[in-house]
């Protein structure tokens, strides 16, 4: 029996995780948390809002599935890693903001950090059991979002409703907007750097519009290993929760005879500048990735509230990052400070637009 604590239980990932837990008798939901929505007896221990680590202390889980959205998920990520409790991580923002601290905590705790983000789950599986020197590079794939192929002038007036119409994935609002700006691929690039231990110049981003190829690993002998499947988060959720058994899911295998389109293209970095901004923040290191994430959270919220045009998201992040003082990320306090400062800069940018 595996005791599962599910954080962000009412969200897109959270609801799919409940489905996976319910279909596996060996998985037991011992705690569930949300930000504000009621949980109505979903688990023996529930918590709406508040300090998630208090819930985790009481729940004594074997695995924490962190499916909270945003920087708010960070204390729970560090809690699990520090204690060697298996962490199934959907909350990419915590690893982006606190990558170095998270890896140090994992080293002390000695537990597993299993990706739930589909690309990272795919890459993890392609890399598993492979000696690092055999690996040349990682290819992170992305759909390109609803605005793939458009130029800047065609994005001036796009609405939140249009940005929320993702072509291949059905997800929460924040990550869906991030997919439309390519900030999501930028966050994933930083996430992959920490999670898979690869330098930034060995992580490439490529668009694959049907979202069937979740990641590719290029090996030094010229071979590439890919991970394919229909876009459905229940697969990586199930993989992480049932690791290493890899339990069955009700999902169909690929229908190859029915025709499968696998085209690749380069992302348009000029139209979607957040991907390159994220790469630069990652390379700068220290608190820069944390600041990138914070400014992006503020800008996305403003866009969803109708306070900022779509193209203003990248502008707000770029301006905030230009004013950030880079600092080493030594502890959680440093990160909370960097997060707060970057949020303030982004809000100030919004106020003077
Ligand atoms: P969502 O908006 O649908 O759900 C977010 C959940 O977090 C909700 O249950 C909400 O109540 C909870 N929450 C928010 N703030 C909280 C707080 N302060 N304390 C406790 N709970 C809080 O988001 P989602 O799409 O499920 O995404 C969750 C995370 O998973 C994000 O980090 C996202 O990037 C990542 N992710 C999602 C998908 C997907 O398909 N949805 C895919 C890959 C990665
Ligand atoms: Mg992803």
């Amino acid at each position: 029996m595996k005791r599962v604590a599910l954080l962000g239980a009412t969200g897109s990932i959270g609801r799919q995780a409940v489905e996976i837990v319910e279909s596996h008798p060996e998985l037991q939901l011992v705690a569930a948390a949300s930000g504000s929505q009621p949980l109505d007896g979903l688990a023996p221990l529930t918590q709406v809002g508040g300090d998630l680590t208090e819930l985790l202390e009481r729940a004594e889980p074997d695995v924490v599935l962190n499916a909270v959205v945003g920087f708010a998920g960070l204390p729970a990520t560090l809690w699990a890693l520090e204690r060697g409790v298996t962490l199934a991580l959907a909350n990419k923002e915590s690893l982006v903001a606190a990558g170095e601290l998270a890896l140090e905590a994992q080293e002390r705790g000695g537990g597993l950090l299993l990706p739930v983000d589909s690309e990272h789950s795919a890459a993890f599986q392609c890399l598993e059991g492979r000696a690092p020197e055999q690996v040349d590079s990682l290819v992170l794939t992305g759909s390109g979002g609803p605005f793939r192929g458009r130029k800047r002038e065609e994005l001036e007036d796009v609405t939140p409703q249009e940005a929320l119409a993702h072509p291949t994935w059905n997800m929460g609002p924040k990550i869906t907007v991030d997919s439309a700006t390519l900030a999501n691929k930028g966050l994933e690039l930083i996430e992959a750097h920490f999670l898979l231990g690869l330098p930034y110049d060995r992580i490439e981003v490529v668009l694959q519009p049907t979202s069937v190829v979740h990641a590719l690993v290029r090996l030094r002998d010229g071979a590439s290993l890919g991970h394919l499947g229909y876009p459905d988060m229940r697969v990586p959720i199930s993989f992480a929760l049932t690791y290493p058994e890899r339990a069955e899911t009700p999902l169909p295998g690929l229908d190859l005879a029915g025709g499968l389109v696998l085209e690749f293209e380069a992302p348009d970095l000029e139209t979607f500048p957040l991907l390159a901004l994220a790469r630069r923040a990652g390379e700068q290191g220290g608190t820069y990735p944390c600041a990138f994430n914070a400014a992006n959270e503020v800008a996305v919220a403003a866009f969803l509230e109708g306070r900022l045009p779509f193209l203003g998201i990248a502008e707000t992040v770029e301006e905030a990052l230009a004013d950030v003082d880079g600092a080493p990320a030594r502890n959680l306090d440093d990160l909370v400070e960097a997060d707060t400062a970057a949020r303030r800069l982004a809000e100030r940018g919004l106020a003077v637009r």
Side-chain angles (χ1 to χ4, degrees):
M1 194 64 96
K2 243 188 224 178
R3 296 166 58 82
V4 180
L6 176 57
L7 311 178
T10 55
S12 162
I13 293 286
R15 291 191 308 271
Q16 295 177 83
V18 169
E19 197 185 310
I20 295 294
V21 169
E22 282 174 350
S23 64
H24 291 295
E26 72 276 19
L27 298 175
Q28 183 190 11
L29 199 59
V30 293
S34 75
S36 53
Q37 300 95 326
L39 290 159
D40 299 330
L42 183 62
L45 291 173
T46 59
Q47 184 174 304
V48 178
D51 181 351
L52 296 172
T53 64
E54 282 173 13
L55 177 73
L56 294 174
E57 287 289 347
R58 281 186 287 144
E60 299 183 0
D62 299 313
V63 44
V64 175
L65 172 44
N66 188 352
V68 170
V69 60
F71 186 73
L74 178 55
T77 286
L78 294 177
W79 184 94
L81 292 173
E82 197 69 62
R83 282 158 189 77
V85 173
T86 298
L87 176 63
L89 185 67
N91 176 246
K92 64 188 85 182
E93 294 91 345
S94 58
L95 199 61
V96 167
E100 287 167 41
L101 285 189
L103 294 185
E104 286 163 20
Q106 187 196 8
E107 198 158 309
R108 286 190 296 270
L112 284 171
L113 169 49
L114 299 169
V116 172
D117 212 348
S118 56
E119 297 78 3
H120 306 73
S121 175
F124 176 89
Q125 292 169 57
C126 292
L127 288 167
E128 209 180 3
R130 204 160 297 289
E133 62 271 19
Q134 295 176 6
V135 177
D136 180 45
S137 60
L138 166 68
V139 183
L140 271 186
T141 50
S143 70
F147 304 139
R148 183 179 58 86
R150 294 204 200 179
K151 291 291 168 199
R152 278 184 75 78
E153 56 277 14
E154 298 168 281
L155 293 172
E156 276 163 12
D157 301 320
V158 295
T159 62
Q161 201 184 346
E162 290 170 275
L164 290 173
H166 196 277
T168 55
W169 294 99
N170 186 6
M171 312 177 285
K174 194 263 177 179
I175 184 176
T176 307
V177 173
D178 284 346
S179 300
T181 62
L182 293 197
N184 183 49
K185 234 19 82 178
L187 294 170
E188 290 186 353
L189 173 70
I190 301 172
E191 180 188 11
H193 163 75
F194 288 118
L195 193 69
L196 306 167
L198 284 164
Y200 287 102
D201 60 2
R202 286 167 57 199
I203 311 175
E204 183 187 341
V205 174
V206 163
L207 301 186
Q208 197 277 302
T210 57
S211 299
V212 166
V213 180
H214 301 304
L216 291 163
V217 169
R218 296 183 193 270
L219 301 175
R220 65 179 173 190
D221 59 5
S224 291
L225 301 184
H227 181 293
L228 281 68
Y230 292 123
D232 193 313
M233 289 307 294
R234 289 173 295 178
V235 177
I237 293 169
S238 177
F239 177 82
L241 289 182
T242 68
Y243 185 84
E245 276 93 35
R246 196 175 195 121
E248 267 178 63
T249 74
L251 300 167
L254 290 175
D255 176 9
L256 299 172
L260 203 58
V261 180
L262 300 182
E263 284 173 342
F264 296 87
E265 64 186 52
D268 176 351
L269 298 179
E270 268 160 47
T271 307
F272 302 98
L274 281 164
L275 176 53
L277 281 171
R279 188 180 279 278
R280 199 187 317 144
E283 285 166 351
Q284 286 172 310
T287 53
Y288 274 104
C290 177
F292 173 88
N293 176 68
N296 184 57
E297 284 192 33
V298 169
V300 170
F303 169 68
L304 286 171
E305 289 161 13
R307 291 194 286 140
L308 184 67
F310 182 79
L311 294 175
I313 301 174
E315 290 161 8
T316 300
V317 175
E318 182 164 20
E319 286 163 18
L321 280 179
D323 289 340
V324 156
D325 293 320
R330 291 160 307 193
N331 50 44
L332 186 54
D333 289 347
D334 284 352
L335 291 172
V336 171
E337 200 177 298
D339 175 83
T340 307
R343 280 173 201 271
R344 203 177 304 127
L345 284 170
E347 287 291 358
R348 197 179 302 159
L350 292 177
V352 300
R353 280 184 74 89

